[in-house]
């Protein structure tokens, strides 16, 4: 089971939960390989490019097969088995892509694809007679109906849904990743973790604001705060926790406060008091602000390539009214 930070599984227990369940039922050992910094390098500079989002599917598969081969040799296994179906995934499972991945992972002939084997030349396990080719299948194409029918025949009732992919295939998340790669090329895992929650705004070339959308996200954002980050929250009404990361001045703090106010439960109030402080410590001060206007907010939302740097005085419908520090 391969685990990356870009897993989008919502099942209880995380992305490996299905692997744990199945191996437990079948009495098989489970090897979990976590791909971290090495995988981030693939995302930053994929040799074979991206898919529709920011998904480096070919390079991802090559890396995973290389890791699988290393484990195969380590435990003395003879070949690998995958659930690939020819033509099922548009980027990584057409014939040329499959051949490229097999070649670049140095596994030519050692990958058995039981569901689609009859669309390929016999693999080494088939040629050696370790596996009966006649019992293998000839599935092809995007439809999952043949696999679902087969699962019913084998009385397999629980399996993951067929749609979707990792977070990098999600166009909204891909926009956040592109922004991070553009403005912070040396990003790490801690930056990617923050991309997975909240609303994201680019306040300046080196300043990003993340605003929670729920109590759960507020808690996650609070837990992800690092030294140098600024946390903001409405003091007198219900509202989000916001995290300002990067290089910022008083003007950007005021802008972040106005955005935080926009998502607070102001109930018709013209202004709101926003507390702010670094990291997980107590608030160091507060600002009384008007909420930023929607049109100004849209210009800052990540995914829009217009990077504006408004001052508090220039914010349409927003701005600083009072600052209180030390309390």
């Amino acid at each position: 089971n391969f685990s990356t930070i870009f897993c989008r599984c919502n099942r209880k227990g995380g992305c490996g939960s299905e692997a744990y369940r199945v191996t437990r039922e079948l009495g098989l050992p489970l090897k979990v390989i976590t791909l971290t910094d090495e995988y981030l390098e693939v995302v930053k500079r994929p040799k074979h490019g991206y898919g529709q989002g920011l998904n480096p599917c070919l390079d991802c598969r090559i890396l995973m097969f290389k890791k699988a081969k290393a484990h195969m040799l380590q435990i003395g296994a003879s070949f690998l088995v995958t659930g690939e179906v020819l033509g099922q995934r548009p980027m990584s499972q057409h014939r040329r892509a499959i051949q490229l991945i097999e070649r670049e992972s140095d596994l030519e002939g050692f990958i058995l694809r039981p569901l689609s084997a009859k669309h390929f030349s016999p693999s080494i396990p088939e040629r050696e007679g370790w596996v009966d080719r006649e019992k293998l299948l000839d599935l092809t194409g995007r439809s999952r109906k043949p696999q679902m029918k087969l699962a019913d025949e084998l009385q397999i009732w629980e399996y993951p849904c067929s749609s979707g992919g990792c977070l990098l295939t999600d166009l909204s998340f891909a926009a956040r990743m592109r922004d991070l790669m553009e403005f912070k090329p040396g990003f790490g895992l801690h930056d990617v973790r923050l991309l997975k929650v909240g609303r994201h705004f680019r306040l300046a070339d080196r300043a990003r604001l993340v605003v929670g959308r729920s109590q759960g996200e507020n808690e996650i954002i609070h837990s992800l705060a690092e030294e140098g980050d600024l946390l903001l929250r409405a003091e007198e009404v219900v509202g989000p926790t916001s995290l300002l990361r990067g290089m910022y001045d008083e003007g950007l703090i005021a802008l972040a406060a106005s955005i935080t106010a926009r998502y607070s439960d102001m109930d018709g109030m013209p202004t709101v008091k926003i507390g702010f402080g670094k990291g997980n410590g107590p608030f160091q001060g507060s600002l009384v602000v008007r909420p930023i206007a929607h049109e100004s907010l849209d210009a800052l939302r990540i995914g829009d390539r217009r990077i504006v740097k408004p001052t508090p005085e220039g914010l349409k419908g927003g701005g600083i009214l009072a600052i209180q520090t030390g309390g």
Side-chain angles (χ1 to χ4, degrees):
N1 176 251
F2 290 97
S3 173
T4 82
I5 196 169
F6 299 106
C7 172
R8 68 189 307 168
C9 179
N10 293 320
R11 289 173 176 265
K12 184 178 180 181
C15 293
S17 61
E18 282 298 296
Y20 280 112
R21 181 184 65 79
V22 171
T23 52
R24 189 168 56 247
E25 288 180 2
L26 298 178
L28 298 173
L30 175 64
K31 171 68 174 179
V32 178
I33 297 176
T34 302
L35 303 175
T36 52
D37 294 338
E38 190 175 5
Y39 191 77
L40 286 187
E41 289 304 310
V42 167
V43 174
K44 292 176 184 178
R45 288 176 283 275
K47 177 181 176 181
H48 300 289
Y50 300 109
Q52 192 173 13
L54 204 65
N55 44 309
C57 292
L58 297 181
D59 296 87
C60 173
R61 296 289 290 175
I62 291 167
L63 175 61
M64 289 183 176
F65 273 119
K66 285 181 176 179
K67 296 290 185 181
K69 179 186 177 183
H71 185 62
M72 177 185 82
L73 296 175
Q74 180 183 347
I75 65 174
S78 300
F79 59 96
L80 300 177
V81 184
T82 81
E84 293 172 294
V85 169
L86 180 65
Q88 185 168 274
R89 296 281 184 179
M91 187 174 180
S92 63
Q93 290 182 9
H94 57 83
R95 188 175 298 278
R96 288 179 59 191
I98 287 174
Q99 291 170 342
L100 170 71
I101 293 166
E102 192 167 304
R103 183 170 62 252
E104 293 208 7
S105 59
D106 195 24
L107 278 166
E108 289 181 285
F110 288 96
I111 301 175
L112 178 68
R113 303 175 180 87
L115 296 179
S116 231
K118 290 184 179 177
H119 288 290
F120 297 97
S121 299
S123 61
I124 290 173
E126 296 165 82
R127 295 200 303 265
E128 293 294 327
W130 305 335
V131 174
D132 185 354
R133 182 174 173 84
E134 293 305 311
K135 294 182 179 179
L136 304 181
L137 305 181
D138 59 354
L139 303 187
T140 185
R142 299 295 297 274
S143 175
R144 267 58 165 203
K145 289 182 179 178
Q147 290 97 303
M148 296 167 71
K149 181 175 181 293
L150 179 62
D152 284 341
E153 292 172 359
L154 297 174
Q155 297 185 348
I156 298 173
W157 313 119
E158 292 187 48
Y159 46 85
C161 62
S162 58
S163 61
C166 78
L167 278 170
L168 293 169
T169 65
D170 181 275
L171 296 183
S172 176
F173 184 85
R176 297 180 182 184
M177 273 296 298
R178 289 186 190 279
D179 176 87
L180 180 63
M181 292 167 67
E182 178 180 353
F183 291 100
K184 192 176 181 181
F187 69 89
L189 287 173
H190 56 284
D191 295 300
V192 178
R193 291 190 183 98
L194 194 59
L195 297 187
K196 298 170 76 171
V197 294
R199 306 174 181 90
H200 289 247
F201 303 91
R202 174 62 58 186
L203 306 192
D205 285 358
R206 300 188 68 180
R208 170 193 290 260
L209 181 72
V210 183
V211 182
R213 294 173 294 191
S214 65
Q215 181 59 32
E217 286 198 343
N218 288 345
E219 293 171 1
I220 293 172
I221 289 171
H222 195 277
S223 71
L224 292 175
E226 299 182 329
E227 185 178 356
D229 292 341
L230 195 73
L231 288 171
L232 303 96
R233 188 175 67 247
E235 291 193 4
E236 298 167 344
V237 298
V238 175
T241 295
S242 298
L243 185 149
L244 181 58
R245 174 169 290 177
M247 297 183 65
Y248 47 84
D249 54 18
E250 288 185 359
L252 290 181
I253 294 174
L255 175 56
S258 285
I259 294 173
T260 304
R262 167 58 60 190
Y263 292 103
S264 297
D265 186 7
M266 298 182 65
D267 196 23
M269 297 164 52
T271 63
V272 65
K273 186 178 182 181
I274 303 293
F276 62 89
K278 287 192 174 182
N280 291 312
F283 283 143
Q284 298 167 322
S286 62
L287 300 83
V288 178
V289 296
R290 298 187 185 97
I292 188 173
H294 279 299
E295 51 266 39
S296 297
L297 188 67
D298 289 341
L300 299 171
R301 199 182 306 275
I302 288 182
D304 190 322
R305 301 318 304 153
R306 295 172 291 156
I307 302 299
V308 292
K309 304 174 186 177
T311 61
E313 293 77 16
L315 285 174
K316 183 178 179 182
I320 235 181
L321 294 181
I323 302 177
Q324 175 184 350
T325 61

